[in-house]
Amino acid sequence: IIFPKGTYKVNNALLFYSNQTLWFEIGAVILQGASIDNLLRTYSESTWGEYDGVHDCLIYGATFDGGTYTTNNTLVGISHAKNIIFERCVFKNAYGNWHNLEINSSYNVKVINCEFEGSRKTGQNGEMLQIDGAGSSSYYPWSNVKIDNTVSEYIDIHGCIFHDSTVVPAIGNHSNMAHKFVRVHDCIFDGLTSSRGALNFVSNMSDIDIYDNTFNGCDIGIGSSGATYYVHDNRFVNVTTAISGTASISHNNMINGSFVA
């Protein structure tokens, strides 16, 4: 499905389905046009559990814009999905305590060369990119989703830019579900001053690999919050605290001009 250049104002969430490519030309914008929970999300059935929902999709080149609305919204959300790619997308003007992108109960998801801004965030649990699971109906800003405690696994976030937030982490979660195999690499975290850190995963998460990123002007680069991290080969510039708490393994990082072996 091709979206030519232009602004598409939506009053209800757009749904996407298995085996689809949504291809947005440069300048194609999905703009929030009403007080809705999502601009785009996976189609769902109440009987679909684990990773049996929408699969094998590419969303390329879109700008998702929450506009000026002041109700909580998650711009884009997926659940019980697998083999999903977001590439060269922009997520901006998500308001309140929800998320720019929510990856929920999903497997093998890639977020590649995307841009996230958090200027309109108001609550610390509204991560720009949240990784979550089907542990409670309250986790979803959409309905008709099976609650079966499915976690998210094999999430790869690379080449992305996160900026313009004094409130929320760029990437994180705030439930104690045991997500695992998360890779965050070759990203830029710029000027993020949330007290939780630019990146913050909570306990029970494991096999988290954070490498080759740049944290610039962040009060806290990584807030470990009890999760199991492997933090290496990152560059921290003008940060107050590079790594808060105790990462499981941390080495080969450059912190404010000093190499830490």
Side-chain angles (χ1 to χ4, degrees):
I1 302 174
I2 297 175
F3 292 79
K5 177 181 178 180
T7 299
Y8 300 83
K9 186 179 287 187
V10 297
N11 296 328
N12 290 289
L14 302 177
L15 305 180
F16 67 98
Y17 299 79
S18 295
N19 303 306
Q20 286 189 326
T21 293
L22 307 185
W23 190 274
F24 293 78
E25 293 183 348
I26 295 173
V29 179
I30 302 298
L31 177 65
Q32 183 169 339
S35 295
I36 55 179
D37 293 339
N38 311 111
L39 304 185
L40 177 75
R41 62 176 172 82
T42 46
Y43 174 75
S44 60
E45 295 276 1
S46 60
T47 57
W48 289 354
E50 298 184 348
Y51 308 118
D52 294 333
V54 170
H55 59 85
D56 297 286
C57 297
L58 168 64
I59 296 87
Y60 184 93
T63 292
F64 299 100
D65 188 347
T68 60
Y69 282 88
T70 56
T71 54
N72 281 325
N73 63 341
T74 288
L75 301 180
V76 179
I78 65 174
S79 58
H80 294 300
K82 64 182 176 184
N83 306 335
I84 309 293
I85 299 173
F86 294 93
E87 187 170 359
R88 296 191 180 277
C89 293
V90 176
F91 303 82
K92 64 181 185 178
N93 292 322
Y95 181 82
N97 201 31
W98 291 4
H99 316 288
N100 297 46
L101 171 62
E102 175 162 339
I103 298 171
N104 197 306
S105 54
S106 294
Y107 182 94
N108 190 29
V109 180
K110 300 181 186 301
V111 184
I112 306 169
N113 296 334
C114 292
E115 179 182 353
F116 296 77
E117 64 83 16
S119 63
R120 301 181 71 232
K121 295 296 187 179
T122 61
Q124 289 191 8
N125 286 339
E127 299 89 354
M128 294 187 223
L129 193 163
Q130 179 181 229
I131 298 173
D132 213 336
S136 167
S137 59
S138 65
Y139 293 176
Y140 294 103
W142 58 93
S143 60
N144 202 38
V145 176
K146 186 174 183 178
I147 307 303
D148 63 355
N149 295 311
T150 299
V151 299
S152 291
E153 295 187 357
Y154 293 97
I155 311 300
D156 187 85
I157 302 160
H158 69 268
C160 296
I161 299 173
F162 299 84
H163 61 89
D164 198 17
S165 177
T166 61
V167 179
V168 303
I171 309 172
N173 68 320
H174 46 88
S175 69
N176 288 319
M177 301 190 72
H179 315 296
K180 57 186 177 181
F181 306 120
V182 176
R183 303 290 177 263
V184 181
H185 58 100
D186 300 285
C187 294
I188 295 173
F189 302 88
D190 188 43
L192 305 177
T193 57
S194 167
S195 61
R196 290 178 59 205
L199 197 155
N200 186 291
F201 293 120
V202 301
S203 58
N204 293 333
M205 286 188 64
S206 61
D207 298 296
I208 306 169
D209 200 358
I210 312 298
Y211 60 95
D212 291 337
N213 301 288
T214 296
F215 296 83
N216 179 53
C218 301
D219 281 0
I220 299 172
I222 298 172
S224 58
S225 294
T228 305
Y229 286 83
Y230 183 24
V231 181
H232 60 100
D233 299 291
N234 298 284
R235 181 170 177 255
F236 298 87
V237 181
N238 295 323
V239 298
T240 304
T241 302
I243 303 171
S244 174
T246 303
S248 297
I249 301 175
S250 176
H251 71 265
N252 287 358
N253 295 296
M254 184 69 71
I255 301 176
N256 293 334
S258 299
F259 177 73
V260 180

Short mmCIF file of all heavy atoms in Angstrom, two decimals, residues 10-70:
data_model
loop_
_atom_site.label_atom_id
_atom_site.label_comp_id
_atom_site.label_asym_id
_atom_site.label_seq_id
_atom_site.Cartn_x
_atom_site.Cartn_y
_atom_site.Cartn_z
N VAL A 10 -6.48 11.45 10.38
CA VAL A 10 -7.27 10.26 10.73
C VAL A 10 -8.08 10.54 11.99
O VAL A 10 -7.59 11.14 12.95
CB VAL A 10 -6.38 9.02 10.92
CG1 VAL A 10 -5.68 8.66 9.62
CG2 VAL A 10 -5.34 9.22 12.01
N ASN A 11 -9.32 10.10 11.97
CA ASN A 11 -10.23 10.23 13.11
C ASN A 11 -10.44 8.91 13.83
O ASN A 11 -11.08 8.88 14.89
CB ASN A 11 -11.58 10.79 12.65
CG ASN A 11 -11.45 12.20 12.10
OD1 ASN A 11 -10.61 12.97 12.55
ND2 ASN A 11 -12.26 12.52 11.11
N ASN A 12 -9.93 7.82 13.25
CA ASN A 12 -9.94 6.50 13.88
C ASN A 12 -8.63 5.81 13.52
O ASN A 12 -8.01 6.13 12.49
CB ASN A 12 -11.12 5.66 13.39
CG ASN A 12 -12.45 6.16 13.91
OD1 ASN A 12 -12.76 6.03 15.09
ND2 ASN A 12 -13.24 6.77 13.03
N ALA A 13 -8.23 4.85 14.34
CA ALA A 13 -6.95 4.18 14.10
C ALA A 13 -6.97 3.43 12.78
O ALA A 13 -7.95 2.73 12.45
CB ALA A 13 -6.65 3.21 15.23
N LEU A 14 -5.92 3.57 12.02
CA LEU A 14 -5.72 2.73 10.84
C LEU A 14 -5.23 1.37 11.32
O LEU A 14 -4.44 1.28 12.26
CB LEU A 14 -4.69 3.35 9.92
CG LEU A 14 -4.96 4.76 9.39
CD1 LEU A 14 -3.79 5.25 8.55
CD2 LEU A 14 -6.26 4.79 8.59
N LEU A 15 -5.66 0.31 10.66
CA LEU A 15 -5.24 -1.05 11.00
C LEU A 15 -4.40 -1.63 9.88
O LEU A 15 -4.67 -1.39 8.71
CB LEU A 15 -6.46 -1.95 11.23
CG LEU A 15 -7.50 -1.47 12.26
CD1 LEU A 15 -8.63 -2.48 12.34
CD2 LEU A 15 -6.87 -1.26 13.62
N PHE A 16 -3.36 -2.39 10.26
CA PHE A 16 -2.65 -3.11 9.21
C PHE A 16 -2.68 -4.61 9.51
O PHE A 16 -2.91 -5.04 10.65
CB PHE A 16 -1.23 -2.58 9.01
CG PHE A 16 -0.25 -2.79 10.13
CD1 PHE A 16 0.63 -3.85 10.10
CD2 PHE A 16 -0.19 -1.90 11.20
CE1 PHE A 16 1.56 -4.03 11.13
CE2 PHE A 16 0.74 -2.06 12.22
CZ PHE A 16 1.61 -3.13 12.18
N TYR A 17 -2.46 -5.40 8.47
CA TYR A 17 -2.71 -6.83 8.48
C TYR A 17 -1.45 -7.59 8.06
O TYR A 17 -0.46 -6.99 7.64
CB TYR A 17 -3.87 -7.16 7.53
CG TYR A 17 -5.17 -6.48 7.92
CD1 TYR A 17 -5.39 -5.14 7.61
CD2 TYR A 17 -6.17 -7.18 8.59
CE1 TYR A 17 -6.58 -4.52 7.96
CE2 TYR A 17 -7.37 -6.56 8.95
CZ TYR A 17 -7.56 -5.23 8.63
OH TYR A 17 -8.74 -4.60 8.99
N SER A 18 -1.50 -8.90 8.15
CA SER A 18 -0.34 -9.72 7.82
C SER A 18 0.07 -9.57 6.36
O SER A 18 -0.76 -9.32 5.48
CB SER A 18 -0.65 -11.19 8.10
OG SER A 18 -0.84 -11.41 9.48
N ASN A 19 1.38 -9.74 6.12
CA ASN A 19 1.95 -9.74 4.78
C ASN A 19 1.70 -8.43 4.02
O ASN A 19 1.53 -8.43 2.80
CB ASN A 19 1.41 -10.92 3.97
CG ASN A 19 1.69 -12.25 4.64
OD1 ASN A 19 2.83 -12.57 4.96
ND2 ASN A 19 0.64 -13.02 4.89
N GLN A 20 1.71 -7.32 4.75
CA GLN A 20 1.53 -6.03 4.11
C GLN A 20 2.81 -5.20 4.20
O GLN A 20 3.55 -5.28 5.19
CB GLN A 20 0.40 -5.23 4.76
CG GLN A 20 -0.99 -5.72 4.41
CD GLN A 20 -2.07 -4.75 4.90
OE1 GLN A 20 -1.93 -4.12 5.94
NE2 GLN A 20 -3.15 -4.65 4.15
N THR A 21 3.03 -4.38 3.18
CA THR A 21 4.01 -3.31 3.22
C THR A 21 3.26 -2.00 3.10
O THR A 21 2.49 -1.80 2.16
CB THR A 21 5.03 -3.42 2.06
OG1 THR A 21 5.84 -4.59 2.26
CG2 THR A 21 5.93 -2.20 2.02
N LEU A 22 3.46 -1.12 4.09
CA LEU A 22 2.93 0.23 4.03
C LEU A 22 4.09 1.14 3.67
O LEU A 22 5.00 1.36 4.48
CB LEU A 22 2.32 0.64 5.37
CG LEU A 22 1.27 -0.30 5.99
CD1 LEU A 22 0.68 0.33 7.25
CD2 LEU A 22 0.17 -0.65 5.01
N TRP A 23 4.08 1.67 2.46
CA TRP A 23 5.20 2.44 1.93
C TRP A 23 4.79 3.90 1.81
O TRP A 23 3.88 4.23 1.07
CB TRP A 23 5.61 1.90 0.57
CG TRP A 23 6.91 2.48 0.07
CD1 TRP A 23 7.09 3.64 -0.61
CD2 TRP A 23 8.20 1.89 0.23
NE1 TRP A 23 8.41 3.83 -0.88
CE2 TRP A 23 9.13 2.78 -0.38
CE3 TRP A 23 8.66 0.73 0.83
CZ2 TRP A 23 10.49 2.51 -0.41
CZ3 TRP A 23 10.02 0.47 0.80
CH2 TRP A 23 10.92 1.35 0.18
N PHE A 24 5.47 4.76 2.57
CA PHE A 24 5.14 6.18 2.60
C PHE A 24 6.19 6.97 1.83
O PHE A 24 7.39 6.89 2.12
CB PHE A 24 5.10 6.68 4.06
CG PHE A 24 3.98 6.09 4.87
CD1 PHE A 24 4.07 4.80 5.38
CD2 PHE A 24 2.82 6.82 5.12
CE1 PHE A 24 3.04 4.26 6.13
CE2 PHE A 24 1.79 6.29 5.87
CZ PHE A 24 1.89 5.00 6.38
N GLU A 25 5.74 7.73 0.85
CA GLU A 25 6.66 8.60 0.14
C GLU A 25 7.16 9.71 1.07
O GLU A 25 6.51 10.03 2.08
CB GLU A 25 5.98 9.21 -1.08
CG GLU A 25 5.63 8.20 -2.16
CD GLU A 25 5.02 8.85 -3.39
OE1 GLU A 25 4.66 10.05 -3.32
OE2 GLU A 25 4.91 8.16 -4.42
N ILE A 26 8.29 10.32 0.75
CA ILE A 26 8.81 11.44 1.53
C ILE A 26 7.74 12.53 1.60
O ILE A 26 7.19 12.95 0.57
CB ILE A 26 10.10 11.98 0.91
CG1 ILE A 26 11.20 10.93 0.99
CG2 ILE A 26 10.55 13.25 1.64
CD1 ILE A 26 12.47 11.32 0.26
N GLY A 27 7.42 12.97 2.83
CA GLY A 27 6.40 13.99 3.00
C GLY A 27 5.00 13.45 3.25
O GLY A 27 4.05 14.22 3.37
N ALA A 28 4.87 12.13 3.39
CA ALA A 28 3.57 11.54 3.71
C ALA A 28 3.43 11.48 5.23
O ALA A 28 4.25 10.89 5.93
CB ALA A 28 3.45 10.14 3.13
N VAL A 29 2.38 12.13 5.76
CA VAL A 29 2.19 12.29 7.20
C VAL A 29 0.84 11.74 7.61
O VAL A 29 -0.19 12.07 7.00
CB VAL A 29 2.26 13.78 7.60
CG1 VAL A 29 2.03 13.96 9.11
CG2 VAL A 29 3.60 14.38 7.20
N ILE A 30 0.83 10.90 8.64
CA ILE A 30 -0.42 10.48 9.28
C ILE A 30 -0.61 11.40 10.48
O ILE A 30 0.16 11.36 11.44
CB ILE A 30 -0.36 9.01 9.72
CG1 ILE A 30 -0.07 8.10 8.54
CG2 ILE A 30 -1.67 8.62 10.41
CD1 ILE A 30 -1.12 8.11 7.47
N LEU A 31 -1.64 12.24 10.44
CA LEU A 31 -1.87 13.28 11.43
C LEU A 31 -3.10 12.97 12.25
O LEU A 31 -4.17 12.63 11.70
CB LEU A 31 -2.04 14.63 10.75
CG LEU A 31 -2.37 15.83 11.64
CD1 LEU A 31 -1.22 16.15 12.59
CD2 LEU A 31 -2.74 17.05 10.79
N GLN A 32 -2.98 13.06 13.56
CA GLN A 32 -4.14 12.84 14.44
C GLN A 32 -5.17 13.94 14.21
O GLN A 32 -4.88 15.13 14.27
CB GLN A 32 -3.69 12.84 15.90
CG GLN A 32 -4.83 12.55 16.87
CD GLN A 32 -4.33 12.30 18.29
OE1 GLN A 32 -3.16 11.96 18.48
NE2 GLN A 32 -5.19 12.44 19.27
N GLY A 33 -6.41 13.50 13.96
CA GLY A 33 -7.48 14.45 13.66
C GLY A 33 -8.61 14.44 14.66
O GLY A 33 -9.61 15.14 14.48
N ALA A 34 -8.49 13.62 15.71
CA ALA A 34 -9.52 13.54 16.75
C ALA A 34 -8.87 12.98 18.01
O ALA A 34 -7.72 12.55 17.99
CB ALA A 34 -10.67 12.64 16.29
N SER A 35 -9.60 12.98 19.11
CA SER A 35 -9.07 12.45 20.38
C SER A 35 -9.16 10.93 20.36
O SER A 35 -10.09 10.33 20.91
CB SER A 35 -9.85 13.03 21.56
OG SER A 35 -9.63 14.41 21.66
N ILE A 36 -8.21 10.29 19.69
CA ILE A 36 -8.19 8.84 19.53
C ILE A 36 -6.96 8.27 20.23
O ILE A 36 -6.00 8.98 20.53
CB ILE A 36 -8.20 8.44 18.04
CG1 ILE A 36 -7.04 9.12 17.29
CG2 ILE A 36 -9.54 8.81 17.42
CD1 ILE A 36 -6.97 8.76 15.82
N ASP A 37 -6.98 6.94 20.47
CA ASP A 37 -5.91 6.29 21.20
C ASP A 37 -4.70 5.98 20.33
O ASP A 37 -3.58 5.92 20.82
CB ASP A 37 -6.41 4.99 21.83
CG ASP A 37 -7.42 5.23 22.93
OD1 ASP A 37 -7.45 6.35 23.47
OD2 ASP A 37 -8.19 4.30 23.24
N ASN A 38 -4.91 5.70 19.04
CA ASN A 38 -3.82 5.31 18.14
C ASN A 38 -4.03 5.93 16.77
O ASN A 38 -5.15 6.16 16.34
CB ASN A 38 -3.76 3.79 17.94
CG ASN A 38 -3.81 3.02 19.22
OD1 ASN A 38 -4.79 2.35 19.50
ND2 ASN A 38 -2.76 3.09 20.00
N LEU A 39 -2.91 6.11 16.06
CA LEU A 39 -2.98 6.45 14.64
C LEU A 39 -2.89 5.19 13.78
O LEU A 39 -3.53 5.09 12.74
CB LEU A 39 -1.85 7.41 14.27
CG LEU A 39 -1.75 8.71 15.07
CD1 LEU A 39 -0.66 9.60 14.50
CD2 LEU A 39 -3.08 9.44 15.09
N LEU A 40 -2.07 4.23 14.22
CA LEU A 40 -1.89 2.99 13.48
C LEU A 40 -1.65 1.86 14.47
O LEU A 40 -0.90 2.04 15.44
CB LEU A 40 -0.69 3.10 12.53
CG LEU A 40 -0.32 1.85 11.73
CD1 LEU A 40 -1.32 1.61 10.60
CD2 LEU A 40 1.10 1.97 11.16
N ARG A 41 -2.23 0.70 14.22
CA ARG A 41 -1.96 -0.47 15.07
C ARG A 41 -2.26 -1.74 14.30
O ARG A 41 -2.91 -1.72 13.24
CB ARG A 41 -2.80 -0.43 16.35
CG ARG A 41 -4.29 -0.47 16.18
CD ARG A 41 -4.99 -0.52 17.53
NE ARG A 41 -6.43 -0.37 17.44
CZ ARG A 41 -7.28 -1.34 17.14
NH1 ARG A 41 -6.82 -2.55 16.89
NH2 ARG A 41 -8.58 -1.12 17.09
N THR A 42 -1.81 -2.85 14.87
CA THR A 42 -2.10 -4.15 14.27
C THR A 42 -3.58 -4.49 14.44
O THR A 42 -4.19 -4.21 15.47
CB THR A 42 -1.27 -5.25 14.94
OG1 THR A 42 -1.31 -5.09 16.36
CG2 THR A 42 0.17 -5.21 14.48
N TYR A 43 -4.13 -5.12 13.42
CA TYR A 43 -5.45 -5.73 13.56
C TYR A 43 -5.35 -6.84 14.61
O TYR A 43 -4.32 -7.51 14.73
CB TYR A 43 -5.90 -6.31 12.22
CG TYR A 43 -7.18 -7.09 12.29
CD1 TYR A 43 -8.41 -6.44 12.42
CD2 TYR A 43 -7.16 -8.48 12.26
CE1 TYR A 43 -9.59 -7.15 12.49
CE2 TYR A 43 -8.34 -9.21 12.33
CZ TYR A 43 -9.55 -8.54 12.46
OH TYR A 43 -10.71 -9.25 12.54
N SER A 44 -6.41 -7.02 15.39
CA SER A 44 -6.36 -8.06 16.43
C SER A 44 -7.67 -8.82 16.52
O SER A 44 -8.73 -8.30 16.15
CB SER A 44 -6.04 -7.43 17.79
OG SER A 44 -7.03 -6.49 18.16
N GLU A 45 -7.58 -10.04 16.97
CA GLU A 45 -8.73 -10.88 17.30
C GLU A 45 -8.59 -11.31 18.75
O GLU A 45 -7.48 -11.59 19.22
CB GLU A 45 -8.78 -12.13 16.41
CG GLU A 45 -9.01 -11.84 14.93
CD GLU A 45 -10.49 -11.69 14.60
OE1 GLU A 45 -11.31 -11.79 15.53
OE2 GLU A 45 -10.80 -11.49 13.41
N SER A 46 -9.69 -11.39 19.46
CA SER A 46 -9.65 -11.71 20.89
C SER A 46 -9.13 -13.12 21.15
O SER A 46 -8.72 -13.44 22.27
CB SER A 46 -11.03 -11.53 21.52
OG SER A 46 -11.97 -12.39 20.89
N THR A 47 -9.13 -13.99 20.12
CA THR A 47 -8.65 -15.36 20.28
C THR A 47 -7.17 -15.50 19.94
O THR A 47 -6.59 -16.58 20.15
CB THR A 47 -9.46 -16.32 19.40
OG1 THR A 47 -9.37 -15.89 18.04
CG2 THR A 47 -10.92 -16.34 19.83
N TRP A 48 -6.55 -14.46 19.41
CA TRP A 48 -5.15 -14.55 19.02
C TRP A 48 -4.25 -14.34 20.23
O TRP A 48 -4.27 -13.27 20.85
CB TRP A 48 -4.82 -13.50 17.97
CG TRP A 48 -5.41 -13.75 16.62
CD1 TRP A 48 -6.11 -14.85 16.22
CD2 TRP A 48 -5.39 -12.86 15.51
NE1 TRP A 48 -6.51 -14.72 14.92
CE2 TRP A 48 -6.08 -13.50 14.45
CE3 TRP A 48 -4.86 -11.60 15.29
CZ2 TRP A 48 -6.24 -12.91 13.20
CZ3 TRP A 48 -5.01 -11.01 14.05
CH2 TRP A 48 -5.70 -11.66 13.02
N GLY A 49 -3.45 -15.34 20.57
CA GLY A 49 -2.52 -15.22 21.67
C GLY A 49 -1.10 -15.44 21.21
O GLY A 49 -0.82 -15.58 20.02
N GLU A 50 -0.18 -15.49 22.18
CA GLU A 50 1.24 -15.67 21.90
C GLU A 50 1.67 -14.77 20.74
O GLU A 50 1.47 -13.56 20.79
CB GLU A 50 1.55 -17.14 21.67
CG GLU A 50 1.25 -17.99 22.91
CD GLU A 50 1.64 -19.43 22.75
OE1 GLU A 50 1.95 -19.87 21.61
OE2 GLU A 50 1.65 -20.14 23.78
N TYR A 51 2.24 -15.34 19.67
CA TYR A 51 2.66 -14.52 18.52
C TYR A 51 1.85 -14.89 17.29
O TYR A 51 2.36 -14.93 16.16
CB TYR A 51 4.16 -14.71 18.28
CG TYR A 51 4.99 -14.49 19.52
CD1 TYR A 51 5.76 -15.51 20.06
CD2 TYR A 51 4.98 -13.26 20.17
CE1 TYR A 51 6.52 -15.31 21.21
CE2 TYR A 51 5.72 -13.06 21.33
CZ TYR A 51 6.48 -14.09 21.84
OH TYR A 51 7.22 -13.88 22.98
N ASP A 52 0.56 -15.15 17.49
CA ASP A 52 -0.30 -15.64 16.42
C ASP A 52 -1.05 -14.54 15.68
O ASP A 52 -1.92 -14.84 14.86
CB ASP A 52 -1.32 -16.63 16.99
CG ASP A 52 -0.67 -17.89 17.51
OD1 ASP A 52 0.42 -18.25 17.00
OD2 ASP A 52 -1.23 -18.52 18.43
N GLY A 53 -0.73 -13.28 15.95
CA GLY A 53 -1.43 -12.18 15.32
C GLY A 53 -0.80 -11.77 14.00
O GLY A 53 -0.28 -12.60 13.23
N VAL A 54 -0.81 -10.50 13.72
CA VAL A 54 -0.29 -9.96 12.47
C VAL A 54 1.20 -10.27 12.34
O VAL A 54 1.96 -10.18 13.31
CB VAL A 54 -0.54 -8.44 12.42
CG1 VAL A 54 0.20 -7.81 11.26
CG2 VAL A 54 -2.04 -8.16 12.31
N HIS A 55 1.63 -10.62 11.12
CA HIS A 55 3.02 -11.02 10.92
C HIS A 55 3.53 -10.59 9.55
O HIS A 55 2.77 -10.32 8.62
CB HIS A 55 3.17 -12.54 11.06
CG HIS A 55 2.32 -13.34 10.10
ND1 HIS A 55 2.73 -13.63 8.82
CD2 HIS A 55 1.09 -13.88 10.24
CE1 HIS A 55 1.79 -14.33 8.21
NE2 HIS A 55 0.78 -14.50 9.04
N ASP A 56 4.86 -10.50 9.45
CA ASP A 56 5.57 -10.24 8.20
C ASP A 56 5.09 -8.96 7.52
O ASP A 56 4.50 -8.97 6.44
CB ASP A 56 5.42 -11.44 7.26
CG ASP A 56 6.06 -12.68 7.84
OD1 ASP A 56 7.30 -12.75 7.85
OD2 ASP A 56 5.32 -13.56 8.33
N CYS A 57 5.41 -7.83 8.18
CA CYS A 57 5.01 -6.52 7.68
C CYS A 57 6.18 -5.54 7.72
O CYS A 57 7.06 -5.64 8.58
CB CYS A 57 3.86 -5.94 8.51
SG CYS A 57 2.35 -6.91 8.45
N LEU A 58 6.15 -4.58 6.80
CA LEU A 58 7.10 -3.48 6.77
C LEU A 58 6.33 -2.17 6.73
O LEU A 58 5.43 -1.99 5.90
CB LEU A 58 8.00 -3.58 5.53
CG LEU A 58 8.86 -2.36 5.20
CD1 LEU A 58 9.89 -2.10 6.30
CD2 LEU A 58 9.55 -2.54 3.84
N ILE A 59 6.67 -1.25 7.64
CA ILE A 59 6.14 0.10 7.63
C ILE A 59 7.32 1.01 7.36
O ILE A 59 8.24 1.12 8.19
CB ILE A 59 5.43 0.47 8.95
CG1 ILE A 59 4.19 -0.40 9.17
CG2 ILE A 59 5.00 1.94 8.94
CD1 ILE A 59 4.46 -1.70 9.87
N TYR A 60 7.33 1.69 6.21
CA TYR A 60 8.51 2.40 5.75
C TYR A 60 8.20 3.86 5.45
O TYR A 60 7.29 4.18 4.68
CB TYR A 60 9.07 1.74 4.48
CG TYR A 60 10.36 2.36 4.00
CD1 TYR A 60 11.59 1.84 4.39
CD2 TYR A 60 10.34 3.47 3.16
CE1 TYR A 60 12.77 2.41 3.95
CE2 TYR A 60 11.52 4.04 2.72
CZ TYR A 60 12.74 3.51 3.12
OH TYR A 60 13.91 4.08 2.69
N GLY A 61 8.96 4.78 6.08
CA GLY A 61 8.99 6.17 5.66
C GLY A 61 7.90 7.07 6.21
O GLY A 61 7.83 8.25 5.84
N ALA A 62 7.05 6.59 7.10
CA ALA A 62 5.91 7.38 7.58
C ALA A 62 6.34 8.41 8.61
O ALA A 62 7.28 8.19 9.39
CB ALA A 62 4.85 6.47 8.17
N THR A 63 5.62 9.53 8.66
CA THR A 63 5.66 10.42 9.80
C THR A 63 4.35 10.31 10.53
O THR A 63 3.28 10.52 9.94
CB THR A 63 5.89 11.88 9.36
OG1 THR A 63 7.22 12.01 8.83
CG2 THR A 63 5.76 12.83 10.56
N PHE A 64 4.40 9.93 11.81
CA PHE A 64 3.21 9.82 12.66
C PHE A 64 3.21 11.03 13.59
O PHE A 64 4.12 11.20 14.40
CB PHE A 64 3.23 8.52 13.45
CG PHE A 64 3.22 7.29 12.58
CD1 PHE A 64 4.39 6.59 12.32
CD2 PHE A 64 2.04 6.83 12.01
CE1 PHE A 64 4.39 5.46 11.52
CE2 PHE A 64 2.03 5.70 11.20
CZ PHE A 64 3.21 5.01 10.95
N ASP A 65 2.18 11.86 13.47
CA ASP A 65 2.15 13.15 14.16
C ASP A 65 0.88 13.25 15.01
O ASP A 65 -0.24 13.24 14.47
CB ASP A 65 2.19 14.27 13.11
CG ASP A 65 2.35 15.65 13.73
OD1 ASP A 65 2.20 15.80 14.95
OD2 ASP A 65 2.63 16.60 12.95
N GLY A 66 1.07 13.37 16.33
CA GLY A 66 -0.07 13.51 17.24
C GLY A 66 -0.70 14.88 17.21
O GLY A 66 -1.72 15.10 17.87
N GLY A 67 -0.12 15.83 16.48
CA GLY A 67 -0.71 17.15 16.34
C GLY A 67 -0.75 17.91 17.65
O GLY A 67 0.19 17.88 18.45
N THR A 68 -1.87 18.54 17.90
CA THR A 68 -2.00 19.40 19.08
C THR A 68 -2.98 18.85 20.11
O THR A 68 -3.34 19.55 21.06
CB THR A 68 -2.46 20.81 18.65
OG1 THR A 68 -3.73 20.72 17.99
CG2 THR A 68 -1.44 21.46 17.73
N TYR A 69 -3.40 17.62 19.93
CA TYR A 69 -4.39 17.06 20.87
C TYR A 69 -3.75 16.81 22.23
O TYR A 69 -2.57 16.45 22.33
CB TYR A 69 -4.98 15.77 20.31
CG TYR A 69 -6.03 16.05 19.27
CD1 TYR A 69 -5.67 16.21 17.93
CD2 TYR A 69 -7.37 16.21 19.62
CE1 TYR A 69 -6.62 16.51 16.97
CE2 TYR A 69 -8.32 16.52 18.66
CZ TYR A 69 -7.95 16.66 17.35
OH TYR A 69 -8.89 16.97 16.39
N THR A 70 -4.52 17.00 23.28
CA THR A 70 -4.01 16.89 24.65
C THR A 70 -4.70 15.77 25.42
O THR A 70 -4.99 15.90 26.60
CB THR A 70 -4.16 18.23 25.40
OG1 THR A 70 -5.53 18.64 25.35
CG2 THR A 70 -3.29 19.30 24.77
#
